[in-house]
Amino acid sequence: MVADVTGTGMAGAADAAPAIELRGISKAFGPVQANKDINIRVRKGTIHGIIGENGAGKSTLMSILYGFYKADSGEILIDGKPTQISDSQDAIRAGIGMVFQHFKLVENFTVLENVILGAEGNALLKPSKARARKLLTQLAADYELSVDPDAVVEDLGVGNQQRVEILKALYREANILILDEPTGVLTPAEADHLFRILQGLKEQGKTIILITHKLREIMEVTDEVSVMRRGEMVATVKTAETSPTELAELMVGRKVLLDVQKAPAQPGEVVLSARNLKVVDRHGVEKLRGIDLDIRRGEILGIAGVAGNGQSELLEVLAGMIPGTGEVTLLGKPLDLSLKRDNARTRREDSVGHVHEDRHRCGLILDFMAWENIAFGHHNAPEYQKNALLMDNHAILEDAKGKIERFDVRPPNPMLTAESFSGGNQQKIVLAREIERNPDLLLVGQPTRGVDIGAIEFIHKRLIELRDQGKAILLVSVELDEIFGLSDRIAVMFDGRIMGEREPEKTDRQELGLLMAGVTGDAA
Amino acid sequence: MKLTRTFLGATATLALTAGVAWADPALIYDLGGKFDRSFNEAAFGGAQRWADETGGEYRDIEMQSEAQREQAIRRFAEAGYNPVVMTGFSMATPLETVAADYPDTNFVIIDGVVDLPNVRSVVFTEHEGSYLVGMMAAMASETGTVSFVGGMDIPLIRRFACGYAQGVVAANPEANVIVNYTGTTPAAWNDPVRGGEITSSQISQGSDVVFAAAGGTGVGVLQTAADAGILSIGVDSNQNHLHPGQVLTSMVKRVDNAVYEAFTAGEDLETGLVVMDLAAGGVGYALDDNNAELVTADMQEALDAASAAIASGETVVHDYMSDNTCPVSVE
Amino acid sequence: MSSTRMPKWADVLLVPLFSLLIAFAISALVILAIGEDPVEALVIMVRGSLGSTYGWGYTLYYTTNFLLTGLAVAIAFQARLFNIGGEGQALIGGLGVALVCLFIPWPNWWTAMIAAILASAAFGALWAAIPAFLQAKRGSHIVITTIMFNFIAASVMNYMLSHVLRPPTAMDPATARFDDVLRLPRLHDILGLVGIEFSRSGPANIMLFVALLFCGLAYMLMWRTRLGFEIRAFGQSEPAAHYAGISGVKIIMVAMLISGALAGTMAVNSVMGGPQRLVLNAVEGAGFIGIAVALMGRSHPIGIIAPALLFGFLYQGGGELAIETTIPREMIIVIQALVIMFTGALDNMVRQPLEAVFLRLRRRG
Amino acid sequence: MDLATIVQILESTLRLATPLLFACLAGLFSERAGIVDIGLEGKLLIAAFFSAAIAFVTGSAWLGLLAGIAASVVFSLIHGIASITFRGNQLISGVAINFLASGMSVVIAQSWFRQGGRTPSLMGEGRFPPLELPFADAVADVPVIGPLYSEILSGNSILVFVGLLAVPATWWVLYRSRFGLRMRAVGENPAAVDTAGISVVRLRYYAILIAGVLCGIGGAYLSTSLAAGFVREMSAGRGYIALAALIFAKWRPWQALFAVLLFGALEAIANRWPNLDLGFITLPNQVMTALPYILTVIILAGFVGKAIPPRAGGEPYVKER
């Protein structure tokens, strides 16, 4: 195993001072140790990847570097000089720029206003704006970064918004650019464009830190990569000298089976059939533009796509959370998509299970105890009632104990509040609730987001088991590996449409990537 | 159990009354407060005069809310104060309830009538005093337009307005009287800003003498009048000193005397209805150094004559409250 | 967040307790600053409110008011709705009481009381329904709309009492006194049945027991019924409630109707139980004190009982202070403000150091 | 209706709108920076008290003004400590501030002056004198402009003019200055400001301090210009009406001026005609009193255009992990 923690063994590393060096950084949030004695050196003019599972401490580390948090101990050296970074102003002064996963833009400001915010250089706006306009034109020409300076940010697409973030950093003359999971919202083509920009910046001598959990990106664009696990820095290696398998092992700390074992599907009757399914959101934007699909018993239909292309709406409209139009039948019975008659509750009564993609916001009540969360959404179920008026809390508690045991939720204490469980165990509570009611159709969104690898394996196994019991599963995931591993059929969504359907054995990443970008090679 | 309860109750009552000399009088001011420079302050003045002269002590409390009235009266009765004097017609209903519960305590209500054996009800003939100041206003006015700012729009205040208007017309049949009220709730007694704005509006309509019968609100009326350089007439207390030389006079209502007399009579207070009219010196107008230059000999003469005529019954000023109508419009 | 750092009991008990102590300490400083003795003030307050059955009669009367308005705010808080409109809802509830008591010849007090409870609840609920509907359907911020509705309610009452309900000969903007048959049994009458002597002056009445019953019912509602489960779930997370098929519109409406109804019934105590006629401002700020009570009681139907009693004590004791000393009655409003500030808005100021203490204890243990 | 009546109504409107204007602009600064301010009422009230009290004691309206501003700023700071530093609930803090002002003003007034929670009446220098504008007499006879200038504008307290000038000043600060850009940003997305290296906390404190100063002037105007002394509860809901005007104005300065003039006019009309006879119906005074509140509810319900508040309003800023 490569465990060159300090990076001193790197060839030629000793000649120039690294752009960034962190020494012994530790940070705790209450009882949680987010960073433990982190050491890292990032060489000038390189793209340095930082990889790790969710919760490994990557974002905390970068937030410390950007002055958002103060480390409990340790020191930061910029260009070899110890530098005190106690707020973002210090970081900016030290030449650090950061592009956050969730953009930090004022949505109803123009691009120009967003760029100058905090770096106006003058108490009056007029001269600041004029100067910024000139500089932006220059930057746009230099780095393929053209954005209309007078456009209002909320009218821009995500790709352009991200460019505004990069422009903000460059406008502040950043020499070191940190990007946190920058491709999560981009199509493969947009991601490629981003990487070209990054290469261009690198050639101009900028240093780039790329935080991601996608092994493929690391292999493609970085020069070196550091791996974090449970708050610790476990290795820094040259990208050219490592492999995805090795990195995955470093991330997880043991051998990982990236493949899911499963028998071939035995599709049965159609459980759900949708024709011309459309959803228009509150602002009048069409989120689903006519979806046709069928799901049968005993199969998993995987929906691939870049986040934000209508997958969330697809799950929610089928689950009865948002209204839509079109013809959808469940086991031959037409559903009321207008939600005048139906809602999420009647869908559950119609035997539709729903594992929401955002368990913190929707799937769980974090302040409720585990046993209450087991009843949540099914609290009208007859077995949970004592009489016409009162619920039978005792029955719910007993039921919860069984489910918690069968799904190996740790600690197996139904009286703890949901928020006191780890991400994986929270997800198990949700799955236990939804799977054990034996739904004919299970809607699953991002089942393993923020879940540790051990739990991922467990969750995948349970989903396959449910399929093998003859249930229909609609799986939405942005993780292509997960889609490939679980799906019996793969549909790709782009801009509210299904661009095509493939069998996992007969397609590859390239093809799906094109579909995800809205490019159809054939008549899909 | 029962014994301890009783015992507790008894000691508590003792504790309540300990330190209070038996049968001190008490005074409850209506909303608007002790220092409204008007009605309540007159009551305070009477109580203070009694205290200064006799060296006695009394308790007083200001009402802050409609709902507290009954509790306040009861609290004083419970603690053994006697007599318990209160100002304002709003006290009548709560007093009815409480007075029945404390037959050994004497109560005095000023401006209200409660028909119970242990209650003295003191009322004033405000229409008579208002008539006199109305005459004076009409004689002092150069524009021929005078005005009235009432507090709460209730029959009692209309009685002021009606008397005033009759006096104005008596002195100058051509005169115009503008009448406004501040509101319909007790808040109207304590809204000087609104009083000032209403006065401004009246001034713009030509009024050059304004009579405020509005408790604490009147402070704003007199202030605005003084700022605008017109004459004003105070009420209840002598308010001439508030803006020397700019307050024509004040329609005084001897609430102070009513309180003083009640306090002086103490526990031996005679109950029943007491009407304090012009003849009895219950109402009148104020003359002092502050307004001496404003009151001409003509005015003095006319007012003296009118006073005598009213006192003798020769002139009868119509009382609005007798039939809820007025010969001169006071809407 | 908090529960992972500190045991729940500490969050529920210690935080409000310390907040309260700070509020009292500052109040004492204020009293000191105006040249009075806070210890003496406390003695007067305790003596005047708890030292005799006369005092208890008023303390418990006010407590009844605060139990109902506190419960009203608490139920709405459970659905994460900040109902500042308790004052207006109680005012309008009073209108319901007055109409029922004035225009229907009831044979006895208990039929009248039940009718008055129903009428006041209906009126209060109605007054809460409009802001609730606007929040549920149009997203109008319920805090602002309920504030506006308090003012509108005051105007409505003002009009009704000055122009409609005032007896023709009366000057007060108030209704006539209700028939004596409708007098609610007071503690004097009730406790007399079991041989306990109680002052007949204090207005505390049977509504105290009704209010306590409502607390118990509210507890059952929130923790034993599906509706309560849904209200709490909605209050914790609106999107999650939506995911679970709980209708946000329904919960907002139902929670606010219950809240408004409870605030409305407060008027049965303060109108039928007190002066037995409807006067202006019959609510006397109880709607607002309900906020302090609910905050201190952590919006728990049983948890609010102690703070309601505390404010009953403060209210009665404060009234005594005004009589016995030169400290004006507004001192209670200052205390009330400080309690709301420290338990509701500055709770983190107490929580953060407490969390640090617990963290240290845990590390050591 | 004759000209004199119209002039009088407009005069009264301007006077009554001025305290609303200060409170409304105060709310604008606070809410544009993401701090919801229900405590406007309390700040007006406490400022009114301290202005009157100090003006009475010192005999100087100017010292009174300073005292009023100081008191209001202290209350702003309390709100800031609760809602910015300790990330408490801004609504609850505002409610508490209103009660605190309501209680404190009377408690202190009673302790200082023993006049039942009021200050003695202010005389002479204790009040702001009317300010006669230059050439007021000269243009008095010019139609329209004459009465407008010499009767309605001229002769008001200097604070009225401060209020009127505060409107363009606010507009300029908000849209033309660096501070305004940052302040608007912090009310929309504090994270953007934070990551740009500017302290969210400091910006928000600046905003509420400005709000405190404006409310302080508004309160001082109430007790030392409009009235001649403090009486209990003299703010009489004006802070809430200012809040309503702010919603009406959709958080913009010029519209705020129009909104407060509208509400001022309602009050002036209600003063002039307690029972407003519209020919077909007579509106009782209570309707006029309640009208601003009713209008606000209608606006809030979105029946007359949507009022979209600053997005980060009401939420304490917590850094994401």
Side-chain angles (χ1 to χ4, degrees), chain D residues 134-200:
Chain D
F135 316 118
D137 288 337
V139 297
D141 295 328
V142 181
V144 187
I145 300 176
L148 203 67
Y149 182 81
S150 59
E151 293 197 40
I152 297 171
L153 272 181
S154 183
N156 271 304
S157 150
I158 186 165
L159 297 183
V160 171
F161 300 102
V162 173
L164 290 175
L165 291 176
V167 176
T170 302
W171 175 86
W172 189 87
V173 166
L174 211 55
Y175 298 110
R176 289 289 180 269
S177 79
R178 173 173 65 190
F179 174 72
L181 180 79
R182 292 178 174 187
M183 202 186 77
R184 283 184 288 134
V186 88
E188 292 287 336
N189 185 359
V193 174
D194 195 10
T195 53
I198 314 161
S199 164
V200 172

Side-chain angles (χ1 to χ4, degrees), chain B:
Chain B
M1 183 69 192
K2 186 180 170 188
L3 197 114
T4 49
R5 287 273 169 171
T6 318
F7 179 68
L8 271 177
T11 47
T13 315
L14 273 177
L16 270 174
T17 49
V20 176
W22 189 250
D24 277 350
L27 178 57
I28 302 172
Y29 307 101
D30 200 358
L31 297 161
K34 189 168 169 178
F35 295 99
D36 62 356
R37 304 194 165 258
S38 179
F39 179 62
N40 290 311
E41 198 162 327
F44 169 64
Q48 206 53 42
R49 173 147 52 98
W50 172 84
D52 290 344
E53 285 178 11
T54 63
E57 283 188 14
Y58 66 96
R59 279 271 179 227
D60 56 358
I61 185 171
E62 296 169 77
M63 283 294 89
Q64 258 117 63
S65 156
E66 295 296 308
Q68 282 178 310
R69 292 199 166 95
E70 187 178 323
Q71 184 180 358
I73 307 169
R74 205 176 273 285
R75 172 63 176 71
F76 281 135
E78 182 86 14
Y81 291 97
N82 197 356
V84 179
V85 181
M86 63 211 71
T87 60
F89 56 86
S90 297
M91 289 293 186
T93 315
L95 179 59
E96 254 171 38
T97 324
V98 182
D101 286 349
Y102 298 89
D104 296 336
T105 305
N106 284 325
F107 299 90
V108 177
I109 179 164
I110 295 170
D111 264 11
V113 179
V114 172
D115 190 13
L116 281 171
N118 56 336
V119 177
R120 173 194 279 190
S121 309
V122 183
V123 295
F124 295 86
T125 55
E126 290 92 352
H127 47 293
E128 295 178 348
S130 300
Y131 181 90
L132 295 179
V133 297
M135 284 181 68
M136 208 191 272
M139 293 169 83
S141 171
E142 288 169 11
T143 60
T145 299
V146 298
S147 57
F148 175 85
V149 177
M152 214 169 135
D153 184 4
I154 44 169
L156 175 69
I157 293 303
R158 291 196 171 206
R159 182 197 251 172
F160 280 86
C162 184
Y164 178 68
Q166 291 176 69
V168 171
V169 175
N172 176 5
E174 301 298 310
N176 180 22
V177 186
I178 306 166
V179 176
N180 290 118
Y181 303 95
T182 323
T184 54
T185 67
W189 302 128
N190 201 13
D191 193 347
V193 171
R194 185 128 200 243
E197 288 301 322
I198 291 174
T199 309
S200 297
S201 135
Q202 293 175 340
I203 293 168
S204 80
Q205 294 169 70
S207 167
D208 64 350
V209 184
V210 55
F211 176 29
T217 301
V219 176
V221 174
L222 269 51
Q223 180 75 48
T224 304
D227 288 351
I230 69 157
L231 293 172
S232 54
I233 299 172
V235 80
D236 294 350
S237 294
N238 180 351
Q239 297 182 319
N240 296 359
H241 65 282
L242 289 179
H243 304 279
Q246 290 181 291
V247 179
L248 178 59
T249 184
S250 299
M251 198 294 273
V252 289
K253 191 167 146 183
R254 301 309 297 260
V255 177
D256 52 339
N257 285 351
V259 174
Y260 179 84
E261 281 165 23
F263 275 24
T264 309
E267 290 171 67
D268 310 321
L269 185 84
E270 270 180 53
T271 56
L273 182 67
V274 177
V275 178
M276 296 181 73
D277 59 10
L278 185 67
V283 294
Y285 61 94
L287 269 181
D288 58 16
D289 290 349
N290 293 314
N291 69 341
E293 290 184 11
L294 298 171
V295 183
T296 61
D298 282 357
M299 286 184 197
Q300 189 71 58
E301 202 175 308
L303 284 173
D304 286 345
S307 297
I310 293 169
S312 68
E314 190 184 322
T315 302
V316 177
V317 182
H318 180 76
D319 178 6
Y320 180 88
M321 286 171 76
S322 63
D323 58 358
N324 277 6
T325 62
C326 186
V328 185
S329 170
V330 291
E331 281 295 334

Side-chain angles (χ1 to χ4, degrees), chain D residues 39-52:
Chain D
L40 295 172
E41 173 82 4
K43 280 182 274 194
L44 274 186
L45 186 63
I46 202 75
F49 167 68
F50 275 99
S51 305

Side-chain angles (χ1 to χ4, degrees), chain C residues 29-168:
Chain C
L29 289 179
V30 172
I31 293 177
L32 213 54
I34 60 173
E36 297 277 344
D37 180 356
V39 177
E40 193 197 314
L42 184 65
V43 170
I44 291 172
M45 288 175 76
V46 171
R47 205 172 57 200
S49 57
L50 311 176
S52 65
T53 60
Y54 169 81
W56 274 102
Y58 276 99
T59 302
L60 292 176
Y61 166 72
Y62 291 125
T63 301
T64 309
N65 287 343
F66 305 150
L67 278 174
L68 289 166
T69 55
L71 205 52
V73 178
I75 298 278
F77 261 143
Q78 288 281 2
R80 197 153 291 175
L81 294 165
F82 190 8
N83 178 12
I84 300 197
E87 193 79 2
Q89 290 143 20
L91 274 176
I92 299 293
L95 194 58
V97 176
L99 294 178
V100 160
C101 291
L102 287 171
F103 297 112
I104 303 174
W106 298 102
N108 49 39
W109 65 267
W110 61 267
T111 46
M113 183 180 83
I114 291 169
I117 289 175
L118 292 176
S120 60
F123 274 58
L126 179 78
W127 205 248
I130 306 166
F133 180 81
L134 293 176
Q135 168 81 66
K137 284 286 189 186
R138 321 231 15 140
S140 321
H141 203 305
I142 201 155
V143 169
I144 310 287
T145 46
T146 48
I147 288 178
M148 300 297 150
F149 266 71
N150 282 340
F151 285 104
I152 300 171
S155 281
V156 169
M157 291 305 283
N158 190 330
Y159 179 78
M160 292 301 288
L161 289 175
S162 320
H163 297 286
V164 182
L165 295 175
R166 172 161 68 178

